[in-house]
Amino acid sequence: MSKSKGGGKGAAKRPANGPSKPTVKGPSRPAVNPLVQEKKRRIGPGIIIVGIVVLALIAAVGVDYWRKNSSVELSSNGRVEPAVITGPGKSGEGVTVGKDDAKAHIDLYLDFRCPHCAEFERETGPVIDELVEDGTATLTYWPMDFVNPEASPRLANAFAAAAANGKALSYADEMFNDFTKVWTTEQLLELGQKLGIGDAKFEAAVKDNTYKGWLDSISDASTKREVTGTPTVFVNGKRLDSKQLTVDGIKAAVSGVS
């Protein structure tokens, strides 16, 4: 005989009277669609570009500060300084250094802010210095202001002030050898001090642009000679072409002078 449901031994018993207890549930959670992935936060290209620009500006500011405030260090000690034959100030005539009895004469039209002049100095400067030192050639500097209307005249004026104190070649060489410098007035004065010409007269000439009139006359003279760029080089009055502005070209031009 079968037992009725719920009437057998061990069956769960339910109280006859009284309400049943409600089932307690946890907080409800929204259903997640497995096909939809949660979006990840990404850095947009605009933010990256802005960051790069900011870093570039910081680097540029740092480089500019260094160029304007770095101290002056001489690139060569014990350099032989040739005599200044013609100093600055004589209208229409450049600064000439060397020995009077030299057979060859080199005219160098240059701009102290010209990168090509700096390259020319690095390549041929030591050879030209030797030619001047051993009496083979004299050298005349014609400082121009083609490149930078603010800086070029200022550096040319400082060069003239140094030349007036017998330091034409060394001062010119040092400005080119550290071409990365802005060469502020303070740096120009410091260079003079390092070369032993940091007196009040030199300082006044640098600060007061004493040689402006002379530099104007140099510009006029270069125009008459049809000098339209820097560096421009003449050897005994003959203009060298661009292919001759090398160590071998300078040597050949000087050795060809009888």
Side-chain angles (χ1 to χ4, degrees), residues 86-96 140-143 214 217-218 221:
T86 303
K90 194 170 183 178
S91 181
E93 292 192 22
V95 171
T96 301
T140 297
Y141 294 95
W142 299 83
W214 173 71
S217 76
I218 294 299

Side-chain angles (χ1 to χ4, degrees), residues 115-232:
H116 301 299
C117 294
E119 292 171 6
F120 177 77
E121 166 61 27
R122 282 193 295 270
E123 181 178 354
T124 68
V127 171
I128 293 176
D129 289 354
E130 282 184 22
L131 293 172
V132 172
E133 182 181 344
D134 66 16
T136 300
T138 56
L139 171 64
T140 297
Y141 294 95
W142 299 83
M144 312 297 297
D145 57 1
F146 285 145
V147 177
N148 187 313
E150 186 279 324
S152 296
R154 184 167 53 80
L155 271 61
N157 176 76
F159 161 76
N165 284 270
K167 296 290 183 178
L169 185 143
S170 293
Y171 204 89
D173 284 1
E174 294 296 341
M175 282 197 289
F176 278 130
N177 285 337
D178 200 347
F179 193 72
T180 57
K181 270 188 174 55
V182 170
W183 287 111
T184 62
T185 298
E186 290 71 22
Q187 289 170 329
L188 293 171
L189 293 174
E190 184 180 355
L191 175 56
Q193 291 172 352
K194 292 288 179 71
L195 292 175
I197 54 174
D199 58 8
K201 185 178 180 180
F202 172 75
E203 181 175 348
V206 171
K207 290 183 175 180
D208 298 340
N209 200 22
T210 298
Y211 292 94
K212 181 184 183 306
W214 173 71
L215 291 169
D216 289 341
S217 76
I218 294 299
S219 180
D220 293 340
S222 70
T223 299
K224 292 176 182 178
R225 209 172 187 182
E226 298 182 351
V227 175
T228 58
T230 54
T232 293

Side-chain angles (χ1 to χ4, degrees), residues 47-142:
I47 296 176
I48 294 175
I49 293 172
V50 170
I52 292 173
V53 171
V54 170
L55 290 175
L57 288 173
I58 292 173
V61 170
V63 170
D64 186 62
Y65 180 85
W66 178 85
R67 292 181 67 211
K68 292 178 178 177
N69 294 277
S70 57
S71 61
V72 174
E73 300 293 338
L74 298 185
S75 63
S76 176
N77 294 319
R79 176 189 284 116
V80 176
E81 188 70 42
V84 175
I85 299 173
T86 303
K90 194 170 183 178
S91 181
E93 292 192 22
V95 171
T96 301
V97 299
K99 298 178 180 178
D100 279 323
D101 58 352
K103 292 183 178 180
H105 181 71
I106 301 171
D107 285 294
L108 174 57
Y109 292 80
L110 72 166
D111 187 315
F112 290 110
R113 284 289 83 189
C114 168
H116 301 299
C117 294
E119 292 171 6
F120 177 77
E121 166 61 27
R122 282 193 295 270
E123 181 178 354
T124 68
V127 171
I128 293 176
D129 289 354
E130 282 184 22
L131 293 172
V132 172
E133 182 181 344
D134 66 16
T136 300
T138 56
L139 171 64
T140 297
Y141 294 95
W142 299 83

